[in-house]
Amino acid sequence: MSRAYFLGVTLLFLAAVAPIQAVKYQVVDRTNYIAGCIRFKTEIGSFYTRQLMKAASSFIWLTFNESIGERKDHGQVMLVVRGFRPSQRALVSRTSNDTILINADHIQKYPGDARLELSGILFHEMTHVWQQYGKGKAPRGLVNGIADYVRLRAGLAPKEWTQRGSGSRWDEGYAVTAYFLDYCSGLKNGFVAELNKLMKGDYSDEFFPVILGKTVDELWMDYKTDLDLPVELSKAE
Ligand SMILES: *[C@@H]1O[C@H](CO)[C@@H](O)[C@H](O)[C@H]1NC(C)=O
Ligand SMILES: *[C@@H]1O[C@H](CO)[C@@H](O)[C@H](O)[C@H]1NC(C)=O
């Protein structure tokens, strides 16, 4: 409850300091077409979701350290809350280019604070809208890891995430990669911003040594080893 309140205050703050930008944000609520699907309307709503889209975008541009001219050129971003077809019912959400789809049934059935859950999903999906893909060459696990890193930095990592330090490969994706990127950011502030900028025209694992002076495999091993150290030592901020 206090977290939701805190998020509300953060949103107002971000909305107040966000520079005027030309991006148009649109929310399409199609939950009317699903019988009994009321939680998006009653607990979240389109207005709040639109504010969240703006706040998430500002947060992502800050995280990526991008000025207006450096950002991806999306004139509009659309978010649609609707039912997913049977073959995709297990999916929570997905994003393609400037369009985010949210599975209304996931929000309806979520066993907890629906606003907080949508916020977390949105910071992840909105990152997909704004991040670089190395002209399609970036590993999927890294792309999703960066999106979850943003979610983590926004304070929206859910309880059900795997533990920090888990996983067997750095590019396994989602929380595993997000915590690894968080470790790399502890070695150099702005690491993810630099990585994302390099990913604008290409992708190579060599980007890690370019920024941090060590290969990604060395960094992954350091990360796994440092887990045995007291938390204070491994969490250089
Ligand atoms: C992605 O969205 C932008 C507008 O935000 C549009 O100009 C561009 O053509 C889209 N790209 C694809 C591949 O659909
Ligand atoms: C952000 O980018 C500017 C250059 O545009 C650079 O001077 C600054 O060091 C960067 N900040 C971080 C944290 O990387």
Side-chain angles (χ1 to χ4, degrees), residues 23 72-77 96-99 129-130:
V23 186
K72 257 196 180 163
D73 190 20
H74 288 303
Q76 67 145 37
V77 182
S96 104
N97 197 25
D98 57 2
T99 305
V129 170
W130 297 118

Side-chain angles (χ1 to χ4, degrees), residues 62 64-67 70 188-191 193-194 197:
L62 272 177
F64 288 165
N65 193 18
E66 286 180 324
S67 56
E70 293 173 294
K188 188 176 185 199
N189 192 24
F191 167 76
E194 282 189 52
K197 279 188 216 285

